[in-house]
Amino acid sequence: MDGFHRQLNLNDLLAKKSIFLLGPRATGKTYLAREQLGDAAVFINLLRANLYLRLSSSPWDLEEMIDGQRKDAASAIVVIDEIQKIPSLLDEVHRLIEERRFRFLLTGSSARKLRHGHANMLAGRAWKAELHPLSWSEIPDFNLERYLHTGGLPVIYRSDDSDEELNAYVRTYLYEEVQAEGFVRNLPQFSRFLMNAALANGQLLNFAQISSDSQVPASTIKEHYQILEDTLLGFRLEPWAHAKTRKAIATSKFYLFDTGVARTLAGIGTIDRNSDTYGRAFEHWVATELRSYLSYRRKHESLCFWRTRHQLEVDFVIGSHTAIEVKAARRVGDQDAKNLRAIAEEGSFKHLLLVSHDPVETRHEGVTALHWKTFVDQLWSGKLDVA
């Protein structure tokens, strides 16, 4: 988007392989493709009714359509927007990769229809990339308080009326489009679930509690969470499974993909700086920064959390080498680092990081305390070497 420098470089990826580019609606997938690929690529948008109807009934027309739009014989990059709308088209894509060496950028906002429809996922002929909401590294003059409120969807972040935009996003996509795609049949049930899932954002998954609060069967709650994952609207954080000296829990956490969407779904207005809500939103933001960093840098490392049965907890664990504890406090002390020292006993951690709002940055007994601005600056510049 104008004014935002996205970290994902499509040209670099397409020089090596065809790409599935997945991401929630409004993250800017189509804009990014047009901005970075420009006139060198052929664009086929399956949201256009005429193209959708033609290719639904005659997928083999794809080759003719591509040749009709190619500006020169060397042009061999083809962008197909919303590929999940016609999964059968992937057979033709597969053939054209093999026979004509075309490179495809296949965008989508849902993996559900592809997976459930047993679509041809091109058997290693395409890599997967994800486009996330804006990260700290992509926003000039980043404002944390604004980001926690609005989230990082480009159109919403720069809007003068972000609350209206977020409410419209929730209404038109999270409700209407999810229902239109046939993912849910009972919209009031799904609406109650979404609110309670947002209120429980970043906490341990408790299907029984969400079921009780939403008045929806627990089996349906599990399916609704799966819908959020399949439509890229949320992600699980699995527990770190390599603990040796302390018994760890086996329950996952679940985060929605965006701080602004989570706040809106939960019905929270202004986030009070001195509230628990602020602390949870701050932790949520760090989760999205870490997830985006690992994704864009193509770091194939696990992002987990650690919690023992005796309530010792570290917010984020990357691989088995970096542990990160997040505190919204303006001043942190030795007590805030106790869980990091505990997890350090489980293995040879290279980094133990305490991230907060405290401007005094220290290193003591292996724990490095960083102000959040220093943390994200060093993360995105590669100075932390966390993966």
Side-chain angles (χ1 to χ4, degrees), residues 364-383:
H364 181 64
E365 294 184 3
V367 176
T368 301
L370 296 173
H371 187 273
W372 65 263
K373 290 182 181 178
T374 303
F375 168 70
V376 287
D377 178 58
Q378 293 189 3
L379 175 72
W380 285 101
S381 66
K383 294 178 182 177

Side-chain angles (χ1 to χ4, degrees), residues 245-246 306 312-314 323 325 333-347 349 352-354 363-368:
T245 64
R246 292 179 173 87
W306 179 68
L312 292 172
E313 182 171 350
V314 172
E325 180 72 1
D334 189 63
Q335 183 69 12
D336 295 302
K338 68 175 183 178
N339 292 347
L340 287 168
R341 289 193 292 271
I343 197 174
E345 298 171 8
E346 300 287 347
F349 277 82
L352 301 171
L353 305 176
L354 177 61
R363 182 176 176 84
H364 181 64
E365 294 184 3
V367 176
T368 301

Side-chain angles (χ1 to χ4, degrees), residues 79-361:
V79 179
I80 302 181
D81 271 329
E82 303 298 334
I83 187 63
Q84 80 276 356
K85 288 191 169 294
I86 312 179
S88 61
L89 206 56
L90 286 166
D91 289 331
E92 284 298 303
V93 170
H94 189 158
R95 181 181 68 80
L96 292 170
I97 291 174
E98 289 291 294
E99 294 181 2
R100 304 203 44 190
R101 300 291 186 254
F102 286 176
R103 293 281 169 85
F104 283 87
L105 178 67
L106 308 165
T107 80
S109 54
S110 170
R112 190 172 182 83
K113 284 192 172 181
L114 297 177
R115 195 183 76 232
H116 285 243
H118 306 290
N120 179 347
M121 298 305 289
L122 307 182
R125 291 166 179 81
W127 289 342
K128 187 181 84 168
E130 296 184 29
L131 188 63
H132 302 281
L134 296 165
S135 68
W136 170 88
S137 62
E138 297 169 322
I139 302 175
D141 302 320
F142 179 86
N143 183 309
L144 178 62
E145 311 302 319
R146 176 175 177 80
Y147 193 100
L148 297 185
H149 186 90
T150 67
L153 293 173
V155 172
I156 294 173
Y157 184 83
R158 66 180 181 178
S159 171
D160 292 331
D161 203 340
S162 58
D163 285 345
E164 282 293 334
E165 294 281 5
L166 278 164
N167 279 301
Y169 184 86
V170 167
R171 286 195 308 271
T172 59
Y173 179 52
L174 297 193
Y175 293 133
E176 295 174 14
E177 289 204 32
V178 166
Q179 186 183 41
E181 292 289 345
F183 297 154
V184 296
R185 295 180 180 178
N186 188 322
L187 197 58
Q189 274 191 355
F190 190 66
S191 176
R192 293 196 299 272
F193 158 74
L194 279 176
M195 182 184 71
N196 285 294
L199 289 168
N201 184 62
Q203 298 180 17
L204 295 176
L205 277 173
N206 187 330
F207 295 125
Q209 186 62 56
I210 297 291
S211 171
S212 175
D213 293 343
S214 307
Q215 300 177 2
V216 178
S219 59
T220 303
I221 293 296
K222 292 180 181 179
E223 174 63 14
H224 284 350
Y225 270 112
Q226 190 61 57
I227 288 170
L228 293 184
E229 286 191 86
D230 289 346
T231 53
L232 313 174
L233 298 174
F235 60 97
R236 290 176 191 257
L237 206 64
E238 301 293 344
W240 185 63
H242 303 288
K244 299 173 183 176
T245 64
R246 292 179 173 87
K247 188 69 173 177
I249 64 167
T251 306
S252 304
K253 290 184 177 183
F254 192 89
Y255 287 91
L256 291 166
F257 78 104
D258 179 75
T259 59
V261 170
R263 180 190 61 79
T264 302
L265 285 172
I268 297 170
T270 302
I271 300 177
D272 185 349
R273 175 62 183 85
N274 298 312
S275 67
D276 290 341
T277 300
Y278 184 94
R280 288 173 56 193
F282 181 55
E283 178 189 312
H284 184 189
W285 169 67
V286 174
T288 61
E289 287 291 317
L290 291 170
R291 186 167 177 251
S292 297
Y293 171 79
L294 293 172
S295 173
Y296 293 156
R297 294 291 193 268
R298 311 296 290 178
K299 306 286 188 181
H300 302 294
E301 295 266 17
S302 61
L303 178 62
C304 303
F305 74 101
W306 179 68
R307 183 169 180 172
T308 72
R309 294 185 176 180
H310 293 94
Q311 309 305 308
L312 292 172
E313 182 171 350
V314 172
D315 294 317
F316 305 108
V317 179
I318 301 174
S320 290
H321 50 75
T322 300
I324 302 168
E325 180 72 1
V326 178
K327 300 290 185 183
R330 293 186 175 92
R331 179 176 296 179
V332 293
D334 189 63
Q335 183 69 12
D336 295 302
K338 68 175 183 178
N339 292 347
L340 287 168
R341 289 193 292 271
I343 197 174
E345 298 171 8
E346 300 287 347
S348 54
F349 277 82
K350 182 179 180 181
H351 298 290
L352 301 171
L353 305 176
L354 177 61
V355 178
S356 74
H357 286 252
D358 192 334
V360 179
E361 299 179 358

